[in-house]
Amino acid sequence: MSSLPASHAGGITATQKSALTLLASLFFMWGFITVINNTLLPHLRSVFDLTYTQTTWIESVWFIAYFFASIPSAKLIERIGYKYSMVVGLLIMAVGALLMIPAARIPSYGVVLTALFIIAAGITLLQVAANPYVAVIGPPESASSRLNLVQAFNSMGTTLAPLFGGYLILSRSASGNVEGGAAALTMEQRLADAQSVQLPYLIVAMVLVVLAIVIARYKLPDLDAATRRVDAEERKKHSLWQHRNLLLGIPAIFIYLIAEIGVSNLFINFVSAPEIGNMSHAQASNYLFLLWGGMMVGRFVGSHLMRSFSAENVLAWASIGAFVVMMITVLASGKLAMWSLISVGLFHSIMFPTIFTLGIRGLGPLTEEGSGLLIMAIAGGALVVVQGRLADMFGLQASFLLTAVCELYVLFYALWGCKVTAAEPEQQLTAAAER
C-alpha cells in the first residue's frame, strides 16, 4: 500500500508515518471483509429462505461480537502489546473465514453465524488496538483529521468488496441473477448457491495469513507501557463520569452504527426492488460500490476540511445532509429514492472517526479506557435487526425512517454533546519500538 500523503502527516515522525501506512492496510482489510457481508446477506436470504428479520440477525451476530470481545481484546493488548495483538486478530479472522467453507458445504445457517462471529471477534481486536493508536500517535489537534484519513483506506476496502462479492458470489449464483431481486430456488439450486461462497472466503483467509506474517516481521512502533496503563493510584484521581463528550459519545457511536449498517445491509434488497431499481442482486451490488465509494471520498474530503473547520461543525453539517437524503429515500420512488440512498454514504463517511476522536478528547490518562468503551459501542450495529423487523411490518422503504432518526442524535452530539466539560492533563504519548 502506498504511503500516506505528506500533506496529511499532521506533525508525526517518519517512523510514525510508516506505522500509520501499515495500519492503513489493516483498516482496508477489515473494511473489505465487513462489506462482503452486504453481498452475502441477500445471497443467504435466498439460500435459507429467510425473512428480513432473520437476514439482519446475521449482521446482528457480527456486531454482538464487538460487545463481548472488546474488553478481552483490551486485556490481551495489555499482555502482549499492540503488534502481536494485531497478528492474533488477523489469524482469528482467518480461522473464521476458513470456517465458512464447511458452512457452505453442509450448508448450515448456524455454522455461518458462528463463522461470522469469529471473524468479527478478530476485527474487534484490531479495532481496539488501531483506532486509539491512530488518534494518539500524533498531535491531539489533528487527531480527527488523521483518523478520518486512515479510515478512508477502510472505505477503500468497503468500496472494492461489493465488486469482489458481486462477481464471485452473486453473479455465480442462481439467486443473484434474477430480475427484481426475488428468487424461488429449487433445493439443488440452493445447495449450489451456498457453495459459491467457498472460493471468496478461501482467498480472504489466505490474504489475512499473509498480512499477519508481514506484521509479525515488521518493527512496528508501539505505545510504551506508561501510555497503555496508568498507575492505579493516579487512575483513582480521575473519573469517566466527568466527561460529557465521552458519555454522550458512546450512544452516538451506538446509534450511528444502527444507521450505517441498516443502510448497507438492506441496500441491495432496496435497490433491486421493482418499484425502485428493478434489477438483479448482482447488478445492485455495483451500486453498493458507489455507496461505499462515497464514504471513501467523504473521508478524504473530511480529513482536508478539518484542517480549516472544527470537527464538530463538519459533523453537524454531515448529519443534516444525511437526514435530508434519508427522508427523500423514504418519501420518493424509483431512481430518485435509489440515488438518495446511495448519497448517504458521502455524509456518513466522517461520522464514526469524528465521533470517536471527539469522544476521547480531553480524557488524558483515561484515554485508553474511554477508547475501549467507544469501540464496544460499535455493537450498536447489532440493532439492525430492529430495522429488519420494521421492514417486515411496514415495508422496506418505510424502515429507513429509523435511519433518519439516528441522524438527528448525531446532530445533537455535534452541536452540544461533544463539548468537553472536564479536560484532564494532557497525556504525553510517545512511541517506542516494540520488541
Side-chain angles (χ1 to χ4, degrees), residues 223-308:
L223 301 180
D224 61 27
T227 66
R228 294 202 306 267
R229 193 171 188 177
V230 177
D231 178 81
E233 292 302 316
E234 175 66 19
R235 172 63 184 81
K236 292 177 182 177
K237 301 176 184 177
H238 307 279
S239 172
L240 291 172
W241 293 102
Q242 299 175 354
H243 299 275
R244 181 177 71 189
N245 56 308
L246 173 67
L247 296 179
L248 296 179
I250 293 170
I253 284 185
F254 189 94
I255 291 169
Y256 162 68
L257 261 294
I258 297 174
E260 179 190 306
I261 303 307
V263 169
S264 61
N265 281 1
L266 297 175
F267 181 90
I268 289 178
N269 291 111
F270 179 76
V271 169
S272 61
E275 67 275 16
I276 303 299
N278 192 31
M279 63 184 74
S280 70
H281 286 164
Q283 292 170 322
S285 70
N286 294 326
Y287 290 92
L288 183 61
F289 163 83
L290 295 178
L291 173 75
W292 290 110
M295 292 194 72
M296 178 181 66
V297 171
R299 282 174 173 167
F300 280 117
V301 172
S303 178
H304 179 74
L305 288 176
M306 288 176 195
R307 296 183 175 274
S308 302

Coordinates of all heavy atoms in Angstrom, one line a residue, residues 223-308:
L223 N 2.9 2.1 21.5 CA 2.8 2.9 22.7 C 3.5 2.3 23.9 O 3.2 1.1 24.2 CB 1.3 3.2 23.0 CG 0.5 3.9 21.9 CD1 -0.9 4.1 22.3 CD2 1.2 5.2 21.5
D224 N 4.3 3.0 24.6 CA 5.0 2.3 25.7 C 4.1 2.0 26.8 O 3.0 2.4 26.9 CB 6.2 3.1 26.1 CG 5.9 4.5 26.7 OD1 4.8 4.6 27.2 OD2 6.7 5.3 26.6
A225 N 4.6 1.2 27.8 CA 3.8 0.7 28.9 C 3.1 1.8 29.7 O 2.0 1.7 30.1 CB 4.6 -0.2 29.8
A226 N 3.8 2.9 29.8 CA 3.3 4.0 30.6 C 2.1 4.7 30.0 O 1.2 5.2 30.7 CB 4.4 5.1 30.8
T227 N 2.0 4.6 28.6 CA 0.8 5.2 28.0 C -0.3 4.2 27.9 O -1.5 4.6 27.7 CB 1.2 5.6 26.5 OG1 1.5 4.5 25.8 CG2 2.3 6.6 26.6
R228 N 0.0 2.9 28.0 CA -1.1 1.9 27.9 C -1.8 1.6 29.3 O -2.9 1.2 29.3 CB -0.5 0.6 27.4 CG 0.0 0.6 25.9 CD 0.0 -0.7 25.3 NE 0.7 -1.7 26.1 CZ 2.0 -2.0 25.9 NH1 2.6 -1.4 24.9 NH2 2.6 -2.9 26.6
R229 N -1.1 1.9 30.3 CA -1.6 1.5 31.6 C -1.2 2.5 32.7 O 0.0 2.5 33.1 CB -1.2 0.1 32.0 CG -2.0 -0.5 33.2 CD -1.6 -1.9 33.3 NE -2.5 -2.6 34.3 CZ -2.4 -3.9 34.6 NH1 -1.6 -4.6 33.9 NH2 -3.2 -4.4 35.5
V230 N -2.1 3.4 33.1 CA -1.7 4.4 34.1 C -1.7 3.8 35.5 O -2.4 2.8 35.8 CB -2.8 5.5 34.1 CG1 -2.5 6.6 35.1 CG2 -2.8 6.2 32.7
D231 N -0.7 4.3 36.3 CA -0.6 3.8 37.7 C -2.0 3.8 38.4 O -2.8 4.7 38.2 CB 0.4 4.6 38.4 CG 0.5 4.2 39.9 OD1 1.3 3.3 40.1 OD2 -0.1 4.9 40.7
A232 N -2.2 2.7 39.1 CA -3.5 2.6 39.8 C -3.9 3.7 40.7 O -5.0 4.2 40.7 CB -3.5 1.3 40.6
E233 N -2.9 4.2 41.4 CA -3.2 5.4 42.3 C -3.6 6.6 41.5 O -4.4 7.4 41.9 CB -2.0 5.6 43.3 CG -1.8 4.5 44.3 CD -3.0 4.3 45.2 OE1 -3.6 5.3 45.6 OE2 -3.4 3.1 45.4
E234 N -2.8 6.8 40.4 CA -3.1 8.0 39.6 C -4.5 7.9 38.9 O -5.2 8.9 38.8 CB -2.0 8.1 38.5 CG -2.2 9.2 37.5 CD -2.1 10.6 38.1 OE1 -1.6 10.8 39.2 OE2 -2.6 11.6 37.5
R235 N -4.8 6.7 38.5 CA -6.1 6.5 37.9 C -7.3 6.8 38.8 O -8.3 7.3 38.3 CB -6.2 5.0 37.4 CG -7.5 4.6 36.8 CD -7.9 5.3 35.6 NE -9.2 5.0 35.1 CZ -10.3 5.4 35.6 NH1 -10.3 6.3 36.6 NH2 -11.5 5.1 35.2
K236 N -7.1 6.6 40.1 CA -8.2 6.8 41.0 C -8.6 8.3 41.2 O -9.7 8.6 41.6 CB -7.8 6.3 42.4 CG -7.8 4.7 42.5 CD -7.3 4.3 43.8 CE -7.2 2.8 43.9 NZ -6.7 2.3 45.2
K237 N -7.7 9.2 40.7 CA -7.9 10.6 40.8 C -8.9 11.1 39.7 O -9.3 12.3 39.8 CB -6.6 11.4 40.8 CG -5.6 11.0 41.8 CD -4.3 11.7 41.6 CE -3.2 11.3 42.7 NZ -1.9 12.0 42.4
H238 N -9.2 10.3 38.8 CA -9.9 10.7 37.6 C -11.2 9.9 37.5 O -11.3 8.7 37.9 CB -9.1 10.6 36.3 CG -7.8 11.3 36.4 ND1 -7.6 12.7 36.3 CD2 -6.5 10.8 36.7 CE1 -6.4 13.0 36.4 NE2 -5.7 11.9 36.7
S239 N -12.2 10.4 36.8 CA -13.5 9.7 36.6 C -14.0 10.0 35.2 O -14.1 11.1 34.8 CB -14.5 10.2 37.7 OG -15.8 9.6 37.4
L240 N -14.4 8.9 34.6 CA -15.1 9.0 33.3 C -16.4 9.7 33.3 O -16.8 10.4 32.3 CB -15.3 7.6 32.7 CG -14.0 6.8 32.3 CD1 -14.4 5.4 31.9 CD2 -13.3 7.5 31.1
W241 N -17.0 9.7 34.5 CA -18.4 10.3 34.6 C -18.3 11.9 34.5 O -19.3 12.5 34.3 CB -19.0 9.9 35.9 CG -19.3 8.5 36.0 CD1 -18.6 7.5 36.7 CD2 -20.4 7.8 35.4 NE1 -19.2 6.3 36.5 CE2 -20.3 6.5 35.7 CE3 -21.5 8.3 34.6 CZ2 -21.3 5.5 35.3 CZ3 -22.4 7.3 34.1 CH2 -22.3 6.0 34.5
Q242 N -17.1 12.4 34.6 CA -17.0 13.9 34.4 C -16.9 14.3 33.0 O -17.0 15.5 32.7 CB -15.7 14.3 35.1 CG -15.7 14.1 36.6 CD -14.3 14.4 37.3 OE1 -13.4 14.8 36.5 NE2 -14.2 14.3 38.6
H243 N -16.9 13.4 32.0 CA -16.6 13.7 30.6 C -17.9 13.5 29.8 O -18.2 12.4 29.3 CB -15.5 12.9 30.1 CG -14.2 13.2 30.8 ND1 -13.3 14.2 30.5 CD2 -13.6 12.5 31.9 CE1 -12.3 14.2 31.3 NE2 -12.4 13.2 32.2
R244 N -18.6 14.6 29.6 CA -19.9 14.6 28.9 C -19.6 14.1 27.4 O -20.4 13.3 26.9 CB -20.6 15.9 28.9 CG -21.9 16.0 28.1 CD -22.5 17.3 28.2 NE -21.8 18.3 27.4 CZ -22.1 19.6 27.5 NH1 -23.0 20.1 28.3 NH2 -21.4 20.5 26.7
N245 N -18.5 14.6 26.8 CA -18.2 14.2 25.5 C -18.1 12.7 25.3 O -18.4 12.1 24.2 CB -17.0 14.9 24.9 CG -15.8 14.7 25.8 OD1 -15.8 14.9 27.0 ND2 -14.7 14.3 25.2
L246 N -17.6 12.0 26.3 CA -17.4 10.5 26.2 C -18.8 9.9 26.5 O -19.2 9.0 25.8 CB -16.4 10.0 27.2 CG -16.3 8.5 27.4 CD1 -15.8 7.9 26.1 CD2 -15.5 8.1 28.5
L247 N -19.5 10.3 27.6 CA -20.7 9.7 28.0 C -21.8 9.8 26.9 O -22.6 8.9 26.7 CB -21.2 10.3 29.3 CG -20.3 10.1 30.5 CD1 -20.9 10.8 31.7 CD2 -20.1 8.6 30.8
L248 N -21.8 10.9 26.2 CA -22.8 11.0 25.1 C -22.2 10.5 23.8 O -23.0 10.3 22.8 CB -23.2 12.5 25.0 CG -24.0 13.1 26.2 CD1 -24.3 14.5 25.9 CD2 -25.2 12.3 26.5
G249 N -20.9 10.4 23.7 CA -20.3 9.9 22.5 C -20.5 8.4 22.4 O -20.6 7.8 21.2
I250 N -20.6 7.6 23.5 CA -20.8 6.2 23.4 C -22.2 5.9 22.7 O -22.2 5.1 21.8 CB -20.7 5.6 24.8 CG1 -19.3 5.7 25.4 CG2 -21.2 4.1 24.8 CD1 -19.2 5.3 26.8
P251 N -23.3 6.5 23.2 CA -24.5 6.3 22.5 C -24.5 6.9 21.0 O -25.2 6.4 20.2 CB -25.6 7.0 23.3 CG -24.9 7.9 24.2 CD -23.5 7.3 24.4
A252 N -23.7 7.9 20.8 CA -23.6 8.5 19.4 C -23.0 7.4 18.5 O -23.6 7.3 17.4 CB -22.7 9.7 19.4
I253 N -22.0 6.7 18.9 CA -21.4 5.7 18.0 C -22.4 4.5 17.9 O -22.7 4.0 16.8 CB -20.1 5.2 18.5 CG1 -19.0 6.3 18.2 CG2 -19.7 3.8 18.0 CD1 -17.6 5.9 18.6
F254 N -23.0 4.1 19.0 CA -24.0 3.1 19.0 C -25.1 3.3 18.1 O -25.5 2.5 17.2 CB -24.6 2.9 20.5 CG -25.4 1.7 20.7 CD1 -24.9 0.5 21.2 CD2 -26.8 1.7 20.4 CE1 -25.6 -0.6 21.4 CE2 -27.6 0.6 20.6 CZ -27.0 -0.6 21.1
I255 N -25.7 4.5 18.1 CA -26.8 4.9 17.3 C -26.4 5.1 15.8 O -27.1 4.7 14.9 CB -27.5 6.2 17.8 CG1 -28.2 5.9 19.2 CG2 -28.5 6.8 16.8 CD1 -28.7 7.1 19.9
Y256 N -25.2 5.7 15.6 CA -24.7 5.9 14.2 C -24.6 4.5 13.5 O -24.9 4.4 12.4 CB -23.4 6.6 14.2 CG -22.7 6.4 12.9 CD1 -23.2 7.0 11.7 CD2 -21.6 5.6 12.8 CE1 -22.6 6.7 10.5 CE2 -20.9 5.4 11.6 CZ -21.5 6.0 10.4 OH -20.9 5.7 9.2
L257 N -24.1 3.5 14.3 CA -23.9 2.2 13.7 C -25.2 1.6 13.2 O -25.2 0.9 12.2 CB -23.1 1.3 14.6 CG -21.6 1.1 14.4 CD1 -21.4 0.4 13.1 CD2 -20.9 2.4 14.4
I258 N -26.3 1.9 14.0 CA -27.6 1.4 13.6 C -27.9 1.9 12.2 O -28.4 1.2 11.3 CB -28.7 1.8 14.6 CG1 -28.4 1.1 15.9 CG2 -30.1 1.4 14.0 CD1 -29.4 1.6 17.0
A259 N -27.6 3.2 12.0 CA -27.9 3.9 10.7 C -27.0 3.3 9.6 O -27.5 2.9 8.5 CB -27.7 5.4 10.8
E260 N -25.7 3.3 9.8 CA -24.8 2.8 8.7 C -25.0 1.4 8.3 O -25.1 1.1 7.1 CB -23.3 3.0 9.2 CG -22.3 2.5 8.2 CD -20.9 2.4 8.7 OE1 -20.4 3.4 9.2 OE2 -20.3 1.3 8.5
I261 N -25.2 0.5 9.3 CA -25.3 -0.9 9.0 C -26.7 -1.2 8.4 O -26.9 -2.0 7.5 CB -25.1 -1.8 10.2 CG1 -23.7 -1.5 10.8 CG2 -25.2 -3.2 9.9 CD1 -22.6 -1.6 9.8
G262 N -27.7 -0.5 8.9 CA -29.0 -0.7 8.3 C -29.1 -0.3 6.8 O -29.7 -1.0 6.0
V263 N -28.4 0.8 6.5 CA -28.4 1.2 5.1 C -27.6 0.2 4.2 O -28.1 -0.3 3.2 CB -27.7 2.6 4.9 CG1 -27.4 2.9 3.4 CG2 -28.6 3.7 5.5
S264 N -26.4 -0.2 4.7 CA -25.6 -1.1 3.8 C -26.2 -2.5 3.7 O -26.1 -3.1 2.7 CB -24.2 -1.2 4.4 OG -24.2 -1.6 5.7
N265 N -26.8 -3.0 4.8 CA -27.3 -4.4 4.8 C -28.6 -4.5 4.0 O -28.8 -5.6 3.3 CB -27.6 -4.8 6.2 CG -26.4 -5.3 7.0 OD1 -25.3 -5.2 6.4 ND2 -26.5 -5.7 8.2
L266 N -29.4 -3.5 4.0 CA -30.7 -3.6 3.2 C -30.6 -3.0 1.9 O -31.6 -2.9 1.1 CB -31.8 -3.1 4.1 CG -32.1 -3.8 5.4 CD1 -33.1 -3.1 6.2 CD2 -32.5 -5.2 5.1
F267 N -29.4 -2.4 1.5 CA -29.2 -1.7 0.3 C -29.6 -2.5 -0.9 O -30.3 -2.0 -1.8 CB -27.8 -1.1 0.2 CG -27.5 -0.3 -1.0 CD1 -27.7 1.0 -1.0 CD2 -27.1 -0.9 -2.2 CE1 -27.4 1.8 -2.2 CE2 -26.8 -0.2 -3.3 CZ -27.0 1.2 -3.3
I268 N -29.0 -3.7 -1.1 CA -29.2 -4.5 -2.3 C -30.6 -4.9 -2.4 O -31.2 -4.8 -3.5 CB -28.3 -5.7 -2.3 CG1 -26.8 -5.3 -2.5 CG2 -28.7 -6.7 -3.3 CD1 -25.8 -6.4 -2.4
N269 N -31.3 -5.3 -1.3 CA -32.7 -5.6 -1.4 C -33.6 -4.4 -1.8 O -34.5 -4.5 -2.6 CB -33.2 -6.1 -0.1 CG -32.7 -7.5 0.2 OD1 -31.8 -7.7 1.2 ND2 -33.1 -8.5 -0.5
F270 N -33.2 -3.2 -1.3 CA -34.0 -2.0 -1.6 C -33.8 -1.6 -3.1 O -34.8 -1.3 -3.8 CB -33.5 -0.9 -0.7 CG -34.2 0.4 -1.0 CD1 -35.5 0.6 -0.5 CD2 -33.6 1.5 -1.6 CE1 -36.2 1.8 -0.7 CE2 -34.2 2.7 -1.8 CZ -35.6 2.9 -1.4
V271 N -32.5 -1.5 -3.5 CA -32.2 -1.1 -4.9 C -32.8 -2.0 -5.9 O -33.2 -1.6 -7.0 CB -30.7 -0.9 -5.1 CG1 -30.3 -0.6 -6.5 CG2 -30.2 0.3 -4.2
S272 N -32.8 -3.3 -5.7 CA -33.2 -4.3 -6.6 C -34.8 -4.4 -6.7 O -35.3 -5.0 -7.6 CB -32.6 -5.7 -6.3 OG -33.1 -6.1 -5.0
A273 N -35.5 -3.8 -5.8 CA -36.9 -3.9 -5.7 C -37.6 -3.3 -7.0 O -37.0 -2.4 -7.6 CB -37.5 -3.1 -4.5
P274 N -38.6 -3.9 -7.5 CA -39.3 -3.5 -8.8 C -39.6 -2.0 -8.8 O -39.5 -1.3 -9.8 CB -40.5 -4.4 -8.9 CG -40.2 -5.6 -8.1 CD -39.3 -5.1 -6.9
E275 N -40.1 -1.4 -7.7 CA -40.5 0.0 -7.7 C -39.4 0.9 -7.5 O -39.6 2.2 -7.6 CB -41.6 0.2 -6.6 CG -41.0 0.1 -5.1 CD -41.0 -1.4 -4.6 OE1 -41.1 -2.3 -5.5 OE2 -40.9 -1.6 -3.4
I276 N -38.2 0.4 -7.3 CA -37.0 1.3 -7.1 C -36.1 1.2 -8.3 O -36.0 2.0 -9.2 CB -36.3 1.0 -5.8 CG1 -37.2 1.1 -4.6 CG2 -35.1 1.9 -5.6 CD1 -37.8 2.4 -4.4
G277 N -35.3 0.1 -8.4 CA -34.3 0.0 -9.5 C -34.7 -1.1 -10.4 O -34.2 -1.2 -11.5
N278 N -35.5 -2.1 -10.0 CA -35.9 -3.3 -10.8 C -34.7 -3.9 -11.4 O -34.6 -4.0 -12.7 CB -36.9 -2.8 -11.8 CG -37.6 -4.1 -12.4 OD1 -37.7 -5.1 -11.8 ND2 -38.0 -3.9 -13.7
M279 N -33.8 -4.5 -10.6 CA -32.6 -5.1 -11.1 C -32.3 -6.3 -10.3 O -32.9 -6.6 -9.3 CB -31.4 -4.1 -11.1 CG -31.0 -3.6 -9.7 SD -29.7 -2.4 -9.8 CE -30.6 -0.9 -10.4
S280 N -31.3 -7.1 -10.8 CA -30.9 -8.3 -10.1 C -30.0 -7.9 -8.9 O -29.5 -6.8 -8.8 CB -30.1 -9.2 -11.0 OG -28.9 -8.7 -11.3
H281 N -29.8 -8.8 -8.0 CA -28.9 -8.6 -6.8 C -27.5 -8.3 -7.3 O -26.7 -7.5 -6.8 CB -28.9 -9.8 -5.9 CG -30.2 -9.8 -5.0 ND1 -30.5 -10.9 -4.3 CD2 -31.1 -8.9 -4.8 CE1 -31.7 -10.7 -3.7 NE2 -32.0 -9.5 -3.9
A282 N -27.0 -9.1 -8.3 CA -25.7 -8.9 -8.9 C -25.5 -7.5 -9.4 O -24.5 -6.8 -9.2 CB -25.4 -9.9 -10.0
Q283 N -26.5 -7.0 -10.1 CA -26.5 -5.6 -10.7 C -26.5 -4.6 -9.5 O -25.8 -3.6 -9.5 CB -27.6 -5.3 -11.6 CG -27.6 -6.1 -12.9 CD -28.8 -6.1 -13.7 OE1 -30.0 -6.0 -13.2 NE2 -28.7 -6.0 -15.0
A284 N -27.3 -4.8 -8.5 CA -27.4 -3.9 -7.4 C -26.1 -3.8 -6.6 O -25.8 -2.7 -6.0 CB -28.5 -4.3 -6.4
S285 N -25.3 -4.9 -6.6 CA -24.0 -4.8 -5.9 C -23.1 -3.8 -6.5 O -22.2 -3.3 -5.8 CB -23.4 -6.2 -5.8 OG -22.9 -6.6 -7.1
N286 N -23.3 -3.5 -7.8 CA -22.4 -2.5 -8.4 C -22.8 -1.1 -7.9 O -21.9 -0.2 -7.8 CB -22.6 -2.5 -9.9 CG -22.1 -3.8 -10.5 OD1 -21.1 -4.3 -10.1 ND2 -22.8 -4.2 -11.6
Y287 N -24.0 -0.9 -7.5 CA -24.4 0.4 -6.9 C -24.0 0.5 -5.4 O -23.7 1.6 -4.9 CB -25.9 0.6 -7.0 CG -26.4 0.9 -8.4 CD1 -26.8 -0.2 -9.3 CD2 -26.4 2.2 -9.0 CE1 -27.2 0.1 -10.6 CE2 -26.8 2.4 -10.3 CZ -27.2 1.4 -11.1 OH -27.5 1.6 -12.4
L288 N -23.9 -0.6 -4.8 CA -23.4 -0.7 -3.4 C -21.9 -0.2 -3.4 O -21.4 0.5 -2.5 CB -23.4 -2.1 -2.8 CG -23.0 -2.2 -1.4 CD1 -23.8 -1.4 -0.4 CD2 -23.0 -3.7 -1.0
F289 N -21.2 -0.5 -4.5 CA -19.9 0.0 -4.7 C -19.9 1.6 -4.7 O -18.9 2.2 -4.1 CB -19.4 -0.5 -6.1 CG -18.2 0.3 -6.7 CD1 -16.9 0.0 -6.3 CD2 -18.4 1.3 -7.6 CE1 -15.8 0.6 -6.8 CE2 -17.3 2.0 -8.1 CZ -16.0 1.7 -7.7
L290 N -20.9 2.2 -5.2 CA -21.0 3.7 -5.2 C -21.3 4.2 -3.8 O -20.7 5.3 -3.4 CB -22.0 4.2 -6.2 CG -21.8 3.9 -7.6 CD1 -23.0 4.3 -8.5 CD2 -20.5 4.5 -8.1
L291 N -22.1 3.5 -3.0 CA -22.4 3.9 -1.6 C -21.1 3.9 -0.8 O -20.8 4.9 -0.1 CB -23.4 2.9 -1.0 CG -23.6 3.1 0.5 CD1 -24.5 4.3 0.7 CD2 -24.2 1.9 1.1
W292 N -20.3 2.9 -0.9 CA -19.1 2.8 -0.1 C -18.0 3.7 -0.7 O -17.1 4.3 0.0 CB -18.6 1.4 0.0 CG -19.4 0.6 0.9 CD1 -20.3 -0.5 0.5 CD2 -19.6 0.7 2.3 NE1 -20.9 -1.0 1.6 CE2 -20.5 -0.3 2.7 CE3 -19.0 1.5 3.3 CZ2 -20.9 -0.5 4.1 CZ3 -19.4 1.4 4.6 CH2 -20.3 0.4 5.0
G293 N -18.0 3.9 -2.0 CA -17.1 4.8 -2.7 C -17.4 6.3 -2.2 O -16.4 7.0 -2.0
G294 N -18.6 6.6 -2.0 CA -18.9 7.9 -1.4 C -18.3 8.1 0.0 O -17.9 9.2 0.3
M295 N -18.3 7.0 0.8 CA -17.7 7.1 2.1 C -16.2 7.3 2.0 O -15.6 8.0 2.8 CB -18.0 5.8 2.9 CG -19.5 5.7 3.3 SD -19.8 4.5 4.5 CE -19.2 5.3 6.0
M296 N -15.6 6.7 1.0 CA -14.1 6.8 0.9 C -13.8 8.3 0.5 O -13.0 8.9 1.1 CB -13.6 5.9 -0.2 CG -12.1 6.0 -0.5 SD -11.5 4.9 -1.8 CE -12.4 5.5 -3.2
V297 N -14.5 8.8 -0.5 CA -14.3 10.2 -0.9 C -14.6 11.1 0.2 O -13.8 12.1 0.4 CB -15.2 10.5 -2.2 CG1 -15.1 12.0 -2.5 CG2 -14.8 9.7 -3.4
G298 N -15.7 10.9 0.9 CA -16.1 11.8 2.0 C -15.0 11.9 3.1 O -14.8 12.9 3.7
R299 N -14.3 10.7 3.4 CA -13.3 10.7 4.4 C -12.1 11.5 4.0 O -11.5 12.2 4.8 CB -13.0 9.3 4.8 CG -14.1 8.7 5.8 CD -13.9 7.3 6.1 NE -14.9 6.9 7.1 CZ -15.2 5.7 7.4 NH1 -14.6 4.7 6.9 NH2 -16.1 5.4 8.4
F300 N -11.7 11.4 2.7 CA -10.6 12.2 2.3 C -10.9 13.7 2.3 O -10.1 14.5 2.7 CB -10.2 11.7 0.8 CG -9.3 10.5 0.8 CD1 -9.8 9.4 0.1 CD2 -8.1 10.5 1.3 CE1 -9.0 8.2 0.0 CE2 -7.3 9.3 1.3 CZ -7.8 8.2 0.6
V301 N -12.1 14.0 1.8 CA -12.5 15.4 1.8 C -12.7 15.9 3.3 O -12.2 17.0 3.6 CB -13.9 15.6 1.1 CG1 -14.4 17.0 1.3 CG2 -13.7 15.2 -0.4
G302 N -13.3 15.1 4.2 CA -13.4 15.5 5.5 C -12.1 15.7 6.3 O -12.0 16.6 7.0
S303 N -11.1 14.8 6.0 CA -9.8 15.0 6.6 C -9.2 16.3 6.2 O -8.6 17.0 7.0 CB -8.9 13.9 6.1 OG -7.6 14.0 6.6
H304 N -9.5 16.8 4.9 CA -9.0 18.1 4.5 C -9.7 19.2 5.1 O -9.2 20.2 5.6 CB -9.1 18.1 3.0 CG -8.6 19.4 2.4 ND1 -7.3 19.8 2.3 CD2 -9.3 20.5 1.9 CE1 -7.2 21.0 1.8 NE2 -8.4 21.4 1.5
L305 N -11.1 19.1 5.2 CA -11.9 20.2 5.7 C -11.6 20.4 7.2 O -11.6 21.6 7.6 CB -13.4 19.8 5.6 CG -14.0 19.9 4.2 CD1 -15.4 19.4 4.2 CD2 -13.9 21.3 3.6
M306 N -11.2 19.4 7.9 CA -11.0 19.5 9.3 C -9.7 20.3 9.7 O -9.3 20.5 10.8 CB -11.0 18.2 10.0 CG -12.5 17.6 10.1 SD -12.5 16.0 10.9 CE -14.2 15.5 10.4
R307 N -8.9 20.6 8.6 CA -7.8 21.4 8.8 C -8.1 22.9 8.8 O -7.3 23.8 9.1 CB -6.7 21.1 7.7 CG -6.2 19.7 7.9 CD -5.1 19.3 6.9 NE -4.6 18.0 7.2 CZ -3.7 17.7 8.1 NH1 -3.1 18.7 8.8 NH2 -3.3 16.5 8.3
S308 N -9.4 23.2 8.3 CA -9.8 24.6 8.3 C -11.1 24.8 9.2 O -11.3 26.0 9.6 CB -10.2 25.0 6.8 OG -9.1 24.8 6.0

